[in-house]
Amino acid sequence: MKVPPWKRPELGDWINNRAPEFDQILFWKLDRFVRRISDLHLMIEWCREYDKVLAADKDPIDLDSTYGEMMVTMIAGMARIKAANTGVRLKVVP
């Protein structure tokens, strides 16, 4: 899924219209939440602006330090590579 979080039907409504109703965005894995590193950075900035927390059930996320942000960005980059490679592996060669 290459749709940014704020444009997804269910999640987008929460991000765009219902931010006062929650404190945290919890997702299963980082690579299921964002596919583009730029989207991750935008979500990190959005969370700072609205005083929200990003949390993953299966990936450690520490956005309280520059080092933690770098690690999360690296994980998102690896997820992007994995997604691209999965697409290549699934192409059928005649």
Side-chain angles (χ1 to χ4, degrees):
M1 178 181 300
K2 293 187 180 184
V3 178
W6 55 90
K7 288 188 177 179
R8 294 183 193 157
E10 296 84 11
L11 182 57
D13 180 49
W14 285 93
I15 293 171
N16 296 314
N17 304 315
R18 301 177 69 179
E21 297 178 39
F22 64 94
D23 298 323
Q24 185 178 79
I25 297 175
L26 176 64
F27 45 91
W28 185 59
K29 291 184 64 66
L30 187 60
D31 67 342
R32 306 311 304 155
F33 180 60
V34 292
R35 290 291 190 176
R36 296 182 182 121
I37 295 171
S38 59
D39 291 346
L40 175 62
H41 286 291
L42 288 172
M43 284 307 304
I44 290 170
E45 290 303 315
W46 182 89
C47 285
R48 283 195 180 124
E49 181 179 340
Y50 289 91
D51 196 27
K52 306 298 180 192
V53 174
L54 286 177
D57 184 46
K58 301 294 180 191
D59 293 323
I61 294 181
D62 167 25
L63 298 175
D64 293 332
S65 68
T66 303
Y67 177 77
E69 257 188 63
M70 180 197 66
M71 293 303 295
V72 169
T73 301
M74 287 176 52
I75 292 169
M78 289 184 273
R80 184 175 180 205
I81 291 168
K82 178 182 173 186
N85 288 339
T86 299
V88 169
R89 286 194 312 263
L90 294 177
K91 287 183 181 176
V92 177
V93 179

